[in-house]
Amino acid sequence: MVRVRFAPSPTGHLHIGGARTALFNWLFARHKGGVFVLRIEDTDRERSTEEYIEAIIKGMEWLKLDWDEGPFRQTDRFDIYKACVAKLLAEKKAYYCYCTPEELEERRQRALAEGRPPRYDGRCRDLKAPVPGRTPSVRFRMPDTGQTVVNDLIRGHISFENSQLDDFIIARSDGTPTYNFVVVVDDVDMKITHVIRGDDHINNTPKQVHIYNALGYEVPKFAHLPMILGHDKTRLSKRHGATSVMAYKEMGYLPDALVNYLARLGWSFGDQEVFTREELVKCFSLEHVGKSAAVFNPEKLLWLNGEYMRKATPGELSDMVMPLLIEKGIIAAGPEGPEGINRQWFEKAVASLVERSKTLLQLAEAMRFYLSETVEIDPAAKVKFLNLESLDYLVDIRDALARTAEFTHDNIEKAFREVVERHGQKLARVAQPVRVAVTGGTVSPGIFDVLEIVGRERTLKRLEKAIKLAGYGQ
């Protein structure tokens, strides 16, 4: 059975690159009917925090990347690592190193100055006795001749000259194990069959292959994903915009849209751009992952998010936008949800705005004029449309709307047509001052739909205010 893992270090929030790695592992496992394991690699005690562990898990949950086993934490597994270190020492496949950090740094600088690779010189390899007064680290004994060849499922054969690889530390002097060692022990213990990760780990691979061999374990299949670049073709970073997954949640992106976009960063299936999760699982394969770096395009993500918003039902969008409206104080939350909100009316308001919104945040802001008792009128729109020239239109519309039997789309349209015909004007000339009066701005859905949703009472109140602003009675 296929078994894959996502193994983030909790030294920061779940970012775009990590999320794509998690997604590709999740898709591969689901496509193959395998197991997806979540493992937290928290051996870096100085930088790993509980806050970041929680943030990573929340990011995974928001993206709906459910795991089958875990989350496992490396700090709970130190006894396993110690036993494996002891095994390698006993078999002379590892040795104690008594070099201090200061000595190692001095030699590194000397090697760089002399134009040599800054490799460990192996001086502790064949020590016969401990060095008094020093607590040693443990180094793995690497072969110094031949090649290490990795058959990468994405990049093909990759060769490494063993002479360029130095003996690396597998346990620090304080007893804590290092990444390249514990990752192998964990992957074996968790029966990982495929290691799918970013190509920044390629140089770690030969070290890990030799650890597998030394411990007598079968080497898994490796697949190294191309990195993600910003628009300027440099590695994606904060200067290119948000990189944290949860930042996109806060900006009003839908998790399905982000998953769809991340899947297309480095993977393709013909010319198809929009995929359901079911389609992604069905179509995904490592054979269609490219070798070249992928470029993150915020505009394309925004477009895709708009597509997903239009695909969602009014009920689904209502559930997603409601927390944002409460957070912004646009609506009040009671013990059982928003207070005083008719669900059917709310969904109708949401449906009227979705075509003009590309994010939930935009939708939430656009909802203000529906949900507020009064609106703040844009100063420029006020000067242009709420003036003596529009005064008669506003008064006549107010009166016509007040006379309508039922405040429905058709009756509102009929009232407008009467005023337009009376004044011999085009509909837009009458509708725009009303739009500014009722919504506060110059852009909105169709005016008849808007007024029906706003309702008769609030519409007439807003028109009264606009009439006064336009100079009525002065």
Side-chain angles (χ1 to χ4, degrees):
M1 178 181 288
V2 163
R3 291 178 62 89
V4 295
R5 46 74 167 176
F6 175 53
S9 298
T11 56
H13 295 277
L14 180 63
H15 55 80
I16 290 296
R20 186 192 62 169
T21 299
L23 172 63
F24 279 27
N25 275 278
W26 183 85
L27 288 172
F28 188 74
R30 295 293 174 260
H31 179 79
K32 296 288 188 179
V35 174
F36 178 49
V37 178
L38 177 60
R39 184 172 75 224
I40 306 297
E41 299 192 336
D42 58 347
T43 55
D44 187 342
R45 290 177 168 178
E46 291 184 2
R47 299 174 60 209
S48 299
T49 68
E50 292 296 324
E51 176 189 355
Y52 288 140
I53 292 174
E54 185 178 342
I56 288 168
I57 290 174
K58 281 185 177 179
M60 294 282 287
E61 289 174 340
W62 181 66
L63 291 173
K64 305 174 198 171
L65 301 181
D66 56 318
W67 51 93
D68 304 301
E69 296 178 11
F72 300 107
R73 294 175 62 157
Q74 288 181 329
T75 48
D76 295 333
R77 299 168 52 79
F78 275 11
D79 288 345
I80 298 172
Y81 308 141
K82 287 179 181 178
C84 289
V85 170
K87 180 178 187 295
L88 293 177
L89 284 168
E91 296 174 358
K92 307 298 183 184
K93 295 174 181 177
Y95 58 90
Y96 289 113
C97 175
Y98 293 87
C99 300
T100 67
E102 293 77 19
E103 290 170 341
L104 293 172
E105 179 60 23
E106 181 184 344
R107 290 175 214 153
R108 194 181 80 86
Q109 293 297 335
R110 189 185 312 142
L112 290 172
E114 295 172 359
R116 294 182 287 110
R119 300 170 62 243
Y120 177 65
D121 58 13
R123 66 180 59 198
C124 292
R125 258 189 169 213
D126 300 310
L127 283 179
K128 303 301 181 184
V131 177
R134 293 191 179 186
T135 304
S137 58
V138 178
R139 286 186 183 272
F140 180 74
R141 194 184 297 271
M142 289 285 284
D144 48 19
T145 59
Q147 291 183 326
T148 302
V149 178
V150 177
N151 185 23
D152 191 275
L153 295 177
I154 294 173
R155 297 175 174 273
H157 287 279
I158 308 174
S159 296
F160 303 87
E161 294 294 332
N162 290 335
S163 61
Q164 301 300 310
L165 306 172
D166 59 356
D167 296 350
F168 61 98
I169 294 174
I170 60 174
R172 302 178 183 90
S173 58
D174 64 0
T176 58
T178 60
Y179 167 77
N180 278 309
F181 178 66
V182 296
V183 71
V184 171
V185 176
D186 286 340
D187 284 346
V188 169
D189 196 47
M190 297 172 189
K191 299 179 174 61
I192 300 303
T193 61
H194 296 71
V195 175
I196 305 169
R197 59 188 181 184
D199 61 8
D200 52 331
H201 286 285
I202 285 179
N203 289 336
N204 291 324
T205 307
K207 298 177 182 178
Q208 294 167 11
V209 166
H210 287 291
I211 293 286
Y212 281 106
N213 293 332
L215 290 171
Y217 298 146
E218 183 178 351
V219 179
K221 296 176 181 178
F222 290 95
H224 288 93
L225 307 174
M227 70 171 56
I228 302 175
L229 304 179
H231 59 83
D232 57 359
K233 303 299 176 68
T234 61
R235 187 164 183 168
L236 190 68
S237 67
K238 289 182 180 179
R239 72 176 179 275
H240 297 111
T243 58
S244 163
V245 164
M246 296 307 281
Y248 285 93
K249 177 180 184 292
E250 291 165 7
M251 290 189 291
Y253 285 79
L254 276 59
D256 286 351
L258 188 55
V259 161
N260 189 156
Y261 183 73
L262 291 176
R264 291 286 287 109
L265 277 180
W267 173 81
S268 62
F269 190 80
D271 296 327
Q272 188 171 343
E273 291 286 352
V274 182
F275 295 82
T276 64
R277 283 183 190 252
E278 292 74 19
E279 288 173 326
L280 286 173
V281 169
K282 180 181 178 181
C283 299
F284 185 81
S285 70
L286 293 174
E287 288 79 6
H288 289 96
V289 176
K291 298 179 183 179
S292 302
V295 177
F296 189 84
N297 185 336
E299 289 77 21
K300 189 171 183 179
L301 172 58
L302 186 62
W303 167 80
L304 190 60
N305 199 67
E307 292 291 304
Y308 270 83
M309 288 188 63
R310 285 186 285 277
K311 285 170 59 178
T313 66
E316 291 168 338
L317 281 175
S318 296
D319 290 338
M320 288 187 281
V321 79
M322 198 76 81
L324 279 174
L325 292 166
I326 294 172
E327 181 184 318
K328 289 181 166 295
I330 299 174
I331 58 177
E336 298 181 0
E339 292 184 338
I341 300 291
N342 178 283
R343 180 71 184 199
Q344 186 177 1
W345 173 87
F346 188 86
E347 290 185 10
K348 190 173 183 180
V350 165
S352 74
L353 294 167
V354 67
E355 289 293 332
R356 299 170 179 270
S357 305
K358 292 185 177 180
T359 68
L360 292 173
L361 199 58
Q362 290 178 0
L363 179 60
E365 289 296 335
M367 289 284 290
R368 283 184 183 274
F369 73 82
Y370 281 141
L371 296 163
S372 303
E373 280 302 313
T374 59
V375 293
E376 186 175 336
I377 296 175
D378 176 74
K382 173 186 171 184
V383 170
K384 186 173 182 180
F385 294 105
L386 302 185
N387 48 43
L388 290 173
E389 187 178 346
S390 63
L391 185 58
D392 288 345
Y393 309 147
L394 291 167
V395 171
D396 286 356
I397 284 292
R398 177 200 62 188
D399 296 342
L401 291 175
R403 291 192 299 268
T404 57
E406 293 183 34
F407 209 66
T408 62
H409 176 286
D410 291 346
N411 286 340
I412 292 168
E413 180 178 6
K414 183 179 178 181
F416 267 80
R417 297 297 178 191
E418 291 174 358
V419 174
V420 165
E421 186 176 341
R422 186 181 313 128
H423 288 274
Q425 293 289 350
K426 293 183 177 179
L427 177 61
R429 189 72 178 269
V430 176
Q432 197 65 348
V434 176
R435 177 175 282 107
V436 172
V438 175
T439 70
T442 57
V443 178
S444 78
I447 191 65
F448 310 138
D449 292 322
V450 166
L451 298 192
E452 182 181 23
I453 296 169
V454 169
R456 187 200 306 267
E457 183 180 345
R458 284 190 295 170
T459 294
L460 294 178
K461 282 183 179 179
R462 293 177 189 183
L463 286 172
E464 288 289 355
K465 178 183 175 182
I467 288 167
K468 291 177 181 178
L469 290 173
Y472 182 65
Q474 297 181 3

